[in-house]
Amino acid sequence: MAVFYGNMYGSMLCLALVALDRYIALVHPFSAKTLRSRRISLYMTAAVWTVVLIAMIPLLVSQQTYFLDELQITTCHDALPEEEQENYFLPYFATLFTICFLLPLAIVLFCHGAVLRTLLAEGKRYSHAVWVTVLVLVVFIVCLLPSNILLLLTYIDSSLDGDGEDLYVPYMVSLAVSTFNSCIDPFIFYFVSMEFRDKACGVLCCCSNSEDTSSSPSNKVSYCSSTTGQRSKITMLTKSSQCETSVIA
């Protein structure tokens, strides 16, 4: 359970930091030189892991499995003592919902809204940013919002002299849907990061070239050399353009 919820809330925090990174890069480009360094990104990654590990400690130290004498089965997190649900897990998941879901969602909405406004005001192409925004909202609203709300409603219903059985099946379905965020996240990173796109294309091209090695090995060499040449040309053009910009400035 700790690994499952840690993956869920860790994804939310990562998407919020990705949105914050895009916000700084596009809305505050002058601050991006200092705030978008490799060291800062490592600090942000370490912060996400630290927050997730601390947030999962209550699940790691609490008992999750109970044996039901009437049904002769052992459950995992599905049947908990009423007192423990009301006094322990309800405040715990309410805190997780507020800090690890609502706060990242607010950051995502603010950052992506500011990015779209900036692109529209400057007359730049914004279709790319729209696609990223739509994918992120799908992850938060379609995949993760129903499971988090039904989780809270299940514990609230149990604390109000209910058994939570009416919400159990919808909650389990929403929990299965929430796992699709792990399938959508790579597409978000693909659209956001040019470095991620280059590495993904490089892996796919290498796989396709390895399949064609026996038929035409010379094509692979020529392709790799041409790709390397193109990248070197792009690097030289970029450096030259940067030099020209600095001279003009």
Side-chain angles (χ1 to χ4, degrees), residues 141-193:
I141 297 176
V142 177
C143 295
L144 303 176
L145 180 61
S147 62
N148 280 270
I149 291 179
L150 289 174
L151 175 64
L152 289 180
L153 291 178
T154 300
Y155 283 106
I156 292 173
D157 183 62
S158 299
S159 64
L160 297 176
D161 297 332
D163 53 10
E165 291 183 359
D166 297 337
L167 298 174
Y168 182 73
V169 174
Y171 167 66
M172 294 303 296
V173 174
S174 66
L175 206 62
V177 174
S178 68
T179 59
F180 282 97
N181 79 88
S182 299
C183 302
I184 302 176
D185 286 347
F187 292 96
I188 297 175
F189 299 143
Y190 181 85
F191 281 112
V192 169
S193 174

Side-chain angles (χ1 to χ4, degrees), residues 192-203:
V192 169
S193 174
M194 183 176 295
E195 182 180 359
F196 187 90
R197 289 198 297 270
D198 292 340
K199 290 184 178 180
C201 292
V203 170

Side-chain angles (χ1 to χ4, degrees), residues 80-138:
L80 301 172
E82 295 182 1
E83 183 179 355
E84 190 172 352
Q85 288 186 2
E86 181 179 354
N87 300 328
Y88 186 82
F89 283 105
L90 178 57
Y92 169 68
F93 281 109
T95 304
L96 279 183
F97 179 76
T98 303
I99 297 177
C100 295
F101 181 81
L102 291 181
L103 181 59
L105 178 60
I107 293 174
V108 164
L109 292 176
F110 171 78
C111 292
H112 282 278
V115 167
L116 290 176
R117 286 196 304 269
T118 302
L119 294 177
L120 286 173
E122 296 180 359
K124 296 181 180 180
R125 296 180 59 184
Y126 55 90
S127 59
H128 180 83
V130 169
W131 273 109
V132 174
T133 304
V134 169
L135 288 176
V136 172
L137 292 180
V138 166

Side-chain angles (χ1 to χ4, degrees), residues 68-87:
L68 303 181
D69 295 331
E70 297 179 358
L71 301 177
Q72 293 296 311
I73 59 173
T74 301
T75 64
C76 178
H77 197 76
D78 289 336
L80 301 172
E82 295 182 1
E83 183 179 355
E84 190 172 352
Q85 288 186 2
E86 181 179 354
N87 300 328

